[in-house]
Amino acid sequence: MLAFASRPRLLLGALLVACTTSGELPAIGPDAATPAESPTPEPPPTPLGAATPSAASPPNLDAATPSAATPPTTPALAAVAPQRLHPATSTAELFGITGDDAGLVLAVGVHGTILRSDDHGQSWREVASPSASHLAAAWRSPQGSLFAAGSDGTILRSRDRGLTWHARTSGTPHWLRHLAGNPHEILAAGDHGTILRSRDDGDTWTSVAMPTLAEPSRKPSRDRLPPGARPPPPGPDDIVRSMYRPDEDVRGLAAPRPGELWIALRQLVWQRPDDAGAWRVLARTAPPRDSFANLWVGDTHWVVSGRNRGSERPSYFVGTGTAGTAPILSGWSQIDSRLISPPIVTGAPTGAPPILYLAGDGYAVHWSEDGGLRWADSEQSAVMQSPYPLAKRAMWVAPDGIVHAAGTAGAVMRSTDHARTWTVQNGGAREPLFGGALARDGSIYTAVAFAVLRGRADHWQLLSPTSTLPVGGHTEAPTSRGLVRCCTDVWVAPDGTILAAGNGLVWRSRDDGRSWKKTHDSDPRWDCCWSLWGDDRGVHGIDRDVILSSIDHGKTWTRSSIAHLLTRDDGNRLDISGSDDHLLVVGGPGLILHSSDRGRTWARRTSPTREPLHAGFVATTATGLIALAAGEHGTLLRSTDAIHWQQIALPTTMRLLGIHGDEARGELYLAGESGLLRSRDDGLTWALDPTVREPLRSVFGDDRGQVLVAGERGLVLRLP
């Protein structure tokens, strides 16, 4: 049991610092590389527990060959779910959105996620879903029933404005990616040419046939042509035949009137006027247009979006036309955009012509007020307080003209000025969170790009000097993103002073984050990856090959070089942690530096691994010292003197990015790319926590029983 001889008043464990030498924040994902080699360790201590891992361990945690011998583990952990603190609802990717004229807005996404708002998107909550399948589309019938569709042929229906949901039988195993309909029928379409229709409010579904083509006319073969004659050129039917497969995926769907059906395929847009009518091609791709991506059909106009061929610029195009009883294609427009994927498209339910909207994976949103002849655009990140593009994967225009969008990391967005500016309605930062600190007043701090994110009394706020970013044309908007671009750690002093570090800079706030002053500035080429650790006696930071120390809460700094202990291979991904007089720096590959005199002298310790190490931890206990270093492929090193190290086997090979110890709980924690591990015997044995399956970057707390984890997509959880 972890038992500290003296309780440090602030963070005891080191927090993650991981970024690239270019300053970009690294993506987190499963790494299938070979587990760390296991050199001959010291004789292992006698384990306090030898139970096998719980069968309830989350399936996405990599339980492949561990990084050392088969590990002893602590007894299975009780499955008590952690409390979500930020963001307010979900971090699931969202792919569908719809609503009504009475304030209901509904968004759906992966793993059966359903988010609901009944106040025009002002507030949101997650409702229970009867399915764990991924949901890709949402639609509301004119009669008021709500539908969601997705993987494995899933169709869900709600008849109480989205409060409760029930699964319907679709009869197909294929993805259903689109929903559409009119007062008399509901259509669903998706992969492998699947089109389904229901005319009883979704109780039963029948298949709708894809377009069929007439047999090709017989043409004379080359050996029957007169000498010197050329074969006739291919006709329109031959061109369509070469571009069409009846089993290809449906990329767009519309059913504006009973019996009328529109579908967009990879290279063709088809329309059928009624059940008895013949299919006809309304649009097809031709150079430079490569493929269609999305389709929207209104009462008077229609629009299809797509991608141009790889080397062509602009990268995207739209085709627009008039709808109604005799729809036609009016023309094509090239879209010069910062989007990084083909745009989704939607339009206002009223207007002649209606306002059309394009969005997708990227910063820009485009709109047209003249039926698609001319397009304007705006930069979304400033007013959305996000330095990263929050992808809009689905859009819906309410009857009052408000545009709603759903997309990245559970973000639901809204524009009240026809896409000029946007706000995130369900709150908070959605990018990766780095480092973390829990202040004495209970406030939670974590580092994000250009800012510090603070949670206090259920209210979350970005702290930063005010800056401006462009929002289209020559217009700029204020944004709370004025700190360092690569902000990788945050520390809070006992008196409430806040320090934020990264990219060669340290910023300091003495007035609760209202104003900031830069107190350290160095060459940013070397030190994107900053780490901070401190206690009542002072704070220390690692700046590539320099240890910076402050005894006045970051107002002034002294420098101590450790360049003589480093090699070119050690890189700049270094982490600092400490306890009393002991300081520990870890990095890659297998780098361990130790000081027993509060940083006056340093020594490089022999490491039993060459795996990069991302996080360190030191604690002074009643029986001595405990030091840990964790990193790639489930690598964990342990020492009782910070001099001699041995490798500890774990039930996972995931990348480990943060370590923390809590005296009140008597537990140690490892945060990793796909979950959390706990130890109750001073780090000898570890068990996966079955309740935490999100990608994590740090774990921190106050050593008085409060433990929090932070990670991807703005996630902050409080452990039970």
Side-chain angles (χ1 to χ4, degrees):
M1 170 91 55
L2 202 64
F4 297 105
S6 60
R7 175 181 296 170
R9 292 182 174 84
L10 290 169
L11 293 183
L12 295 167
L15 304 174
L16 162 71
V17 174
C19 59
T20 65
T21 54
S22 64
E24 295 298 323
L25 304 180
I28 276 188
D31 193 334
T34 305
E37 61 176 300
S38 179
T40 303
E42 301 174 10
T46 303
L48 299 183
T52 55
S54 168
S57 296
N60 63 330
L61 297 182
D62 187 354
T65 304
S67 55
T70 302
T73 57
T74 53
L77 297 169
V80 180
Q83 178 188 5
R84 175 187 294 276
L85 301 179
H86 179 272
T89 50
S90 173
T91 58
E93 297 293 301
L94 302 176
F95 291 92
I97 191 166
T98 190
D100 65 16
D101 58 0
L104 175 69
V105 189
L106 191 86
V108 302
V110 298
H111 306 302
T113 299
I114 302 174
L115 304 182
R116 182 182 183 275
S117 171
D118 57 9
D119 55 7
H120 302 275
Q122 296 287 349
S123 61
W124 292 82
R125 69 180 184 91
E126 188 168 355
V127 298
S129 172
S131 173
S133 296
H134 301 322
L135 302 177
W139 183 75
R140 177 188 177 274
S141 74
Q143 289 77 19
S145 295
L146 292 163
F147 293 87
S151 63
D152 306 314
T154 298
I155 296 178
L156 307 180
R157 182 181 68 187
S158 172
R159 286 176 166 170
D160 57 5
R161 303 187 77 240
L163 293 174
T164 60
W165 292 81
H166 303 278
R168 314 309 302 165
T169 300
S170 68
T172 181
H174 300 309
W175 265 94
L176 298 173
R177 302 182 185 272
H178 310 280
L179 288 167
N182 53 67
H184 297 278
E185 58 192 351
I186 309 153
L187 279 297
D191 293 359
H192 304 290
T194 302
I195 306 176
L196 305 177
R197 178 171 60 194
S198 174
R199 287 179 169 167
D200 55 10
D201 199 38
D203 285 335
T204 60
W205 295 82
T206 58
S207 179
V208 176
M210 289 277 279
T212 56
L213 297 174
E215 290 295 323
S217 58
R218 296 181 60 86
K219 296 182 179 180
S221 61
R222 287 181 177 272
D223 57 359
R224 295 184 179 180
L225 291 173
R230 296 181 177 180
D237 290 344
D238 299 311
I239 295 174
V240 168
R241 190 172 289 105
S242 69
M243 304 171 76
Y244 173 66
R245 295 193 337 268
D247 63 345
E248 63 182 294
D249 298 345
V250 177
R251 300 189 173 194
L253 174 72
R257 282 165 284 276
E260 184 179 2
L261 184 57
W262 297 59
I263 57 172
L265 306 180
R266 184 179 183 278
Q267 293 184 293
L268 299 167
V269 175
W270 295 83
Q271 187 260 357
R272 188 185 69 180
D274 52 51
D275 289 339
W279 287 96
R280 69 188 186 106
V281 174
L282 283 181
R284 60 182 176 86
T285 59
R289 299 181 297 278
D290 179 71
S291 59
F292 294 122
N294 202 239
L295 170 72
W296 177 82
V297 180
D299 291 337
T300 60
H301 287 72
W302 63 276
V303 58
V304 64
S305 64
R307 181 194 296 274
N308 287 322
R309 295 186 174 180
S311 60
E312 297 290 337
R313 293 293 182 272
S315 299
Y316 309 113
F317 68 85
V318 293
T320 54
T322 57
T325 56
I328 61 170
L329 172 68
S330 302
W332 303 97
S333 300
Q334 298 297 314
I335 303 296
D336 187 8
S337 177
R338 295 181 65 192
L339 296 176
I340 56 178
S341 66
I344 59 169
V345 57
T346 192
T350 59
I355 302 176
L356 304 176
Y357 301 95
L358 296 175
D361 287 351
Y363 289 102
V365 178
H366 303 258
W367 66 89
S368 173
E369 297 178 340
D370 58 8
L373 298 178
R374 293 179 298 273
W375 292 85
D377 65 274
S378 72
E379 158 69 58
Q380 65 157 337
S381 64
V383 285
M384 294 179 69
Q385 303 297 311
S386 172
Y388 299 108
L390 289 174
K392 295 177 176 64
R393 306 193 189 281
M395 288 191 294
W396 170 72
V397 185
D400 59 6
I402 294 177
V403 188
H404 299 268
T408 299
V412 184
M413 298 152 270
R414 186 176 81 153
S415 175
T416 59
D417 55 6
H418 306 300
R420 273 70 168 174
T421 60
W422 293 79
T423 56
V424 179
Q425 292 304 109
N426 53 346
R430 299 287 169 156
E431 67 261 34
L433 303 182
F434 290 84
L438 186 57
R440 287 182 170 178
D441 66 357
S443 298
I444 302 165
Y445 295 83
T446 186
V448 297
F450 299 95
V452 169
L453 178 67
R454 180 177 65 197
R456 176 181 290 167
D458 298 326
H459 174 70
W460 291 86
Q461 180 182 6
L462 288 170
L463 307 178
S464 167
T466 301
S467 183
T468 59
L469 286 174
V471 293
H474 300 288
T475 305
E476 292 189 335
T479 176
S480 297
R481 298 280 188 164
L483 285 177
V484 293
R485 177 169 63 93
C486 185
C487 189
T488 54
D489 212 350
V490 60
W491 180 78
V492 182
D495 67 353
T497 298
I498 309 167
L499 299 182
N503 207 217
L505 306 173
V506 177
W507 288 79
R508 181 174 185 258
S509 176
R510 295 272 294 166
D511 57 2
D512 207 35
R514 289 184 292 275
S515 63
W516 294 80
K517 182 179 180 180
K518 191 187 304 180
T519 63
H520 175 74
D521 193 348
S522 64
D523 186 349
R525 292 176 300 173
W526 296 104
D527 40 37
C528 168
C529 294
W530 258 76
S531 175
L532 296 171
W533 175 85
D535 59 12
D536 283 356
R537 295 167 57 188
V539 59
H540 305 270
I542 179 73
D543 182 6
R544 179 53 172 89
D545 57 0
V546 173
I547 300 292
L548 288 102
S549 302
S550 174
I551 59 173
D552 54 11
H553 298 164
K555 182 179 179 180
T556 59
W557 298 86
T558 59
R559 298 166 58 92
S560 174
S561 176
I562 55 172
H564 61 289
L565 298 174
L566 301 176
T567 69
R568 182 184 298 271
D569 293 337
D570 291 330
N572 71 338
R573 303 183 182 186
L574 307 182
D575 177 77
I576 189 168
S577 57
S579 177
D580 295 335
D581 287 335
H582 291 275
L583 296 179
L584 185 70
V585 169
V586 301
L591 172 68
I592 301 175
L593 304 179
H594 172 234
S595 172
S596 59
D597 54 12
R598 196 75 179 193
R600 287 189 291 273
T601 61
W602 289 85
R604 183 163 183 150
R605 304 306 185 190
T606 300
S607 172
T609 184
R610 292 288 294 169
E611 292 287 352
L613 301 175
H614 300 310
F617 171 83
V618 187
T620 305
T621 74
T623 58
L625 195 72
I626 294 177
L628 301 173
E632 290 292 313
H633 307 131
T635 299
L636 178 64
L637 309 181
R638 182 181 184 274
S639 175
T640 56
D641 57 10
I643 300 173
H644 304 95
W645 294 79
Q646 68 179 66
Q647 191 158 352
I648 301 296
L650 296 178
T652 180
T653 57
M654 67 177 165
R655 182 186 305 163
L656 301 173
L657 300 168
I659 313 175
H660 175 66
D662 187 272
E663 177 184 0
R665 292 169 175 249
E667 281 191 312
L668 290 165
Y669 304 87
L670 288 173
E673 64 181 357
S674 54
L676 183 75
L677 295 99
R678 301 191 191 204
S679 172
R680 294 169 180 163
D681 57 7
D682 288 357
L684 299 178
T685 60
W686 295 80
L688 294 164
D689 188 327
T691 68
V692 183
R693 295 179 289 179
E694 284 83 4
L696 307 178
R697 287 185 175 269
S698 65
V699 52
F700 56 99
D702 60 2
D703 190 39
R704 297 187 295 275
Q706 283 207 74
V707 180
L708 301 105
V709 293
E712 295 290 289
R713 302 173 181 174
L715 180 72
V716 180
L717 303 175
R718 176 182 284 121
L719 301 185

